Amino acid sequence: MNALHIRHLYHRYGLTEVLADVGFDLYAGETLALVGPSGCGKSTLLHVVAGLLRPSEAVISSTFRGIGCVFQEPCLMPWKTALDNIALGLKALGVPKAARRRQAAALGLRMGLGEEDLAKYPHELSGGMQSRVSLARALVLSPDLLLLDEPFSALDVGLKAELYGLLREQVARRGTAVLMITHDLMEAVRLADRIIMMVPAPGRLVREFVLELAREERTDAWVYRTTAELMQAEEVRIGFGLAQGELPPPLHEHARHGGCVV
Amino acid sequence: MKVLTRLRGALAATLGYLWSGWGAVTSVLMFCALWEYGARIHGDLVLPGPVATLRRLAEMFDSGLAVPELAISARRTLYGLGLALAAGSTLGLLAGRSLTTAMVSRPLVTLLLGMPPIAWLVLAMLWFGMGDATPVFTVLVACFPIVFAGAMQGARTLDNRLRNVARAYRLPWHMLLTDLYLPHVASYLFPSWITALGTSWKVVVMAELLTTADGVGAALAVSRSQLDTATSLGWIVAVLGLLLGVEYLLLEPLKRRVERWRSGPAA
Ligand SMILES: Nc1ncnc2c1ncn2[C@@H]1O[C@H](COP(=O)(O)OP(=O)(O)OP(=O)(O)O)[C@@H](O)[C@H]1O
Ligand SMILES: [Mg+2]
């Protein structure tokens, strides 16, 4: 089974430490939600996993091949139409033009982008349309590992529900592993198998919540109740600044030299 | 509804282009009026008017004098400019890729830009003699830094996030070129290409005037020695006409096509 293992991940921008002793595992078919206050280093962690940023220190092993990445901003190529933006990764894989356009158009339509929207350039699209194009660009590849940085934050309730379905289908069909950053605890509860709470200064993981119930059986009532329970957790309250208190600092010295065990 | 707005946008853009064309024509006509006024004051010997000049030009075309000379000059311009565009764009892009090379090449570019073309011409005469190579080389060195600077600027300003996208989606190198660098850089390159085009004609005529036995510049030298102001002006108008033609009929529409993604309601 494909898996990603990270241990003792440290990252510094200059002298500021933004990630300290981060470690987690992610297996195929699993959805892991990463929550935490703004600026705690979630996007940085995602960039490390995507291989776009070389961490200061880390032990990382990953067997995932195809990675689909959705960045916090849509980051579309401004000189390509929405359709060609969606098809970017397919083009890189050498899929012929007609085939990749057909796939991209089919997915675009499923995500509520009309024929004429797909012919538009990014500056002619609304913010929500742009983020859907960005999500489609990753999904169309049917990747093994999907990295999502707040992919649904610019969308309305109806669209969110629609796209949740699309994502779940992808996970079920392809056994895709998903690492998802979100600010929306309810979204995390609805979609994830595990939720990891992250806190800043320096960015570290302080608590992991496991949601046992199968995703198909999660009713709205269950989601509300579980979210409310989650909000009662001490780490969450302190992490989001809802309560006073101190969370344990990272175990610096010990961790830094124990980096060879995976 | 959406189709309609798009159509209206396209229509507005086309009208805009045509309108800018009218603006250009108007300003040229204004210039001609001033020119005619000057001709009335100074007389035909010193400054023949636009009508007299155009008549002379037509005669030059009819007698088969103009076309071969223009073709020779155009060929030299084309070679020199082509080399400058290719070398300047490629090297500029490469230089812009790293901060170090960009910092190293910036003062060199300033130096090259500041060097008067006439100085290059003298050197070229010494190195290449009186053949085709002299004007071609002079055009090359005069235009190269302009294009190089444009390309380097383009490469340096590329959004880092787009670069990340390209890496995350594993674009192979040729796609990096065609889907990332070139479209972005084109918006910096085109203005520099247009500037280079203007410079190249000026430099070719100057180089021919001083070094070669054929081409527009050489013909200008002959008409000057015969004190034939009308013919001289005829040549100048012919060169300017060619320049305007290439810029407005070829480069400008090309630029609009390539930068379609920029225009629209927001731009
Ligand atoms: N390129 C950079 N250079 C220096 N510091 C950076 C850089 N990128 C991010 N940081 C810092 O790293 C920290 C974490 O940033 P990051 O973008 O990972 O936060 P985040 O958890 O994604 O926040 P948000 O939820 O607001 O997106 C921040 O304090 C930020 O100032
Ligand atoms: Mg972020």
Side-chain angles (χ1 to χ4, degrees):
Chain A
M1 186 158 63
N2 283 331
L4 165 75
H5 304 285
I6 295 186
R7 293 289 179 279
H8 310 302
L9 167 61
Y10 291 81
H11 188 69
R12 282 176 289 274
Y13 281 119
L15 291 176
T16 22
E17 186 157 52
V18 287
L19 293 177
D21 197 18
V22 169
F24 63 88
D25 304 293
L26 179 62
Y27 296 93
E30 213 183 14
T31 301
L32 181 59
L34 200 58
V35 298
S38 180
C40 70
K42 304 183 294 294
S43 298
T44 306
L45 178 57
L46 198 87
H47 277 77
V48 169
V49 175
L52 300 173
L53 196 64
R54 179 188 282 275
S56 312
E57 262 176 66
V59 184
I60 300 178
S61 86
S62 168
T63 54
F64 291 111
R65 285 297 173 76
I67 298 183
C69 209
V70 176
F71 297 92
Q72 190 160 5
E73 286 132 80
C75 297
L76 305 177
M77 305 277 173
W79 43 81
K80 282 178 173 293
T81 60
L83 187 70
D84 288 332
N85 263 299
I86 296 177
L88 183 78
L90 293 173
K91 188 176 177 188
L93 289 175
V95 178
K97 188 164 186 163
R100 68 173 184 255
R101 293 201 143 185
R102 203 169 44 240
Q103 286 185 46
L107 185 60
L109 291 178
R110 279 211 60 193
M111 298 179 85
L113 295 162
E115 201 76 68
E116 68 269 28
D117 296 328
L118 290 174
K120 284 180 182 168
Y121 288 95
H123 75 90
E124 299 168 314
L125 296 171
S126 75
M129 289 175 179
Q130 289 183 23
S131 60
R132 270 178 283 163
V133 170
S134 156
L135 184 59
R137 180 170 66 182
L139 284 179
V140 79
L141 292 171
S142 297
D144 300 330
L145 174 59
L146 198 51
L147 304 174
L148 308 174
D149 199 340
E150 298 178 36
F152 307 116
S153 57
L155 304 176
D156 63 70
V157 194
L159 270 174
K160 272 186 191 173
E162 178 74 28
L163 294 187
Y164 292 164
L166 203 67
L167 186 64
R168 272 199 300 245
E169 187 183 302
Q170 169 93 15
V171 171
R173 191 162 44 86
R174 287 270 317 172
T176 302
V178 182
L179 177 58
M180 180 176 86
I181 293 174
T182 176
H183 277 150
D184 182 350
L185 276 180
M186 199 124 71
E187 183 173 286
V189 169
R190 200 180 291 275
L191 292 176
D193 299 302
R194 285 183 290 140
I195 300 176
I196 291 185
M197 176 73 199
M198 198 166 169
V199 294
R204 57 199 192 272
L205 312 182
V206 287
R207 173 98 188 250
E208 178 172 321
F209 303 91
V210 179
L211 306 165
E212 301 282 4
L213 196 64
R215 265 186 296 260
E216 305 76 57
E217 293 164 29
R218 296 182 189 176
T219 58
D220 281 347
W222 180 85
V223 169
Y224 295 140
R225 202 172 56 242
T226 314
T227 308
E229 277 166 24
L230 216 67
M231 291 294 290
Q232 296 309 313
E234 193 200 359
E235 288 88 350
V236 175
R237 294 190 66 80
I238 297 176
F240 282 110
L242 300 174
Q244 298 294 316
E246 280 291 315
L247 290 169
L251 308 166
H252 267 253
E253 288 324 305
H254 161 72
R256 196 153 293 185
H257 302 288
C260 19
V261 223
V262 179
Chain B
M1 190 63 221
K2 273 179 183 149
V3 178
L4 211 69
T5 45
R6 281 177 72 78
L7 254 177
R8 253 184 45 202
L11 203 67
T14 317
L15 280 178
Y17 187 53
L18 285 182
W19 181 246
S20 74
W22 278 117
V25 169
T26 314
S27 66
V28 168
L29 286 180
M30 291 260 289
F31 176 75
C32 286
L34 270 179
W35 180 3
E36 182 68 42
Y37 179 69
R40 292 270 163 85
I41 292 179
H42 293 288
D44 257 7
L45 206 60
V46 179
L47 184 67
V51 179
T53 304
L54 285 179
R55 197 174 299 135
R56 181 73 214 133
L57 187 62
E59 281 170 29
M60 282 153 59
F61 272 103
D62 282 343
S63 65
L65 179 72
V67 174
E69 304 287 0
L70 280 172
I72 291 171
S73 295
R75 188 191 65 214
R76 290 172 178 152
T77 311
L78 208 68
Y79 286 170
L81 185 64
L83 285 175
L85 296 191
S89 308
T90 320
L91 293 178
L93 288 184
L94 290 179
R97 279 183 56 86
S98 98
L99 192 62
T100 326
T101 46
M103 265 164 54
V104 169
S105 35
R106 178 134 306 162
L108 291 181
V109 167
T110 316
L111 204 76
L112 286 179
L113 277 176
M115 180 112 163
I118 194 85
W120 283 116
L121 185 58
V122 170
L123 288 177
M125 281 161 74
L126 292 174
W127 292 338
F128 302 110
M130 306 303 250
D132 255 19
T134 302
V136 170
F137 172 79
T138 317
V139 169
L140 172 61
V141 291
C143 296
F144 174 80
I146 301 172
V147 180
F148 183 88
M152 192 167 78
Q153 189 74 8
R156 287 235 51 79
T157 49
L158 182 59
D159 192 342
N160 230 341
R161 289 172 303 183
L162 290 186
R163 239 189 272 256
N164 270 342
V165 171
R167 276 177 66 199
Y169 286 91
R170 311 223 176 104
L171 302 201
W173 68 268
H174 60 90
M175 262 184 81
L176 281 181
L177 214 59
T178 56
D179 295 67
L180 184 65
Y181 286 114
L182 290 184
H184 168 80
V185 157
S187 52
Y188 286 83
L189 272 184
F190 267 108
S192 77
W193 284 12
I194 289 173
T195 317
L197 176 74
T199 312
S200 67
W201 271 101
K202 278 186 264 182
V203 171
V204 154
V205 171
M206 181 192 74
E208 286 175 343
L209 189 97
L210 293 175
T211 61
T212 58
D214 48 8
V216 174
L220 262 178
V222 172
S223 62
R224 182 202 61 89
S225 67
Q226 294 167 349
L227 297 181
D228 186 348
T229 323
T231 310
S232 303
L233 277 177
W235 284 120
I236 293 170
V237 168
V239 167
L240 288 181
L242 263 181
L243 189 66
L244 285 181
V246 172
E247 176 168 342
Y248 281 102
L249 296 181
L250 188 71
L251 286 182
E252 189 66 19
L254 195 65
K255 183 174 153 192
R256 275 169 191 263
R257 228 193 94 70
V258 169
E259 296 191 355
R260 216 168 8 150
W261 52 273
R262 265 183 202 284
S263 59

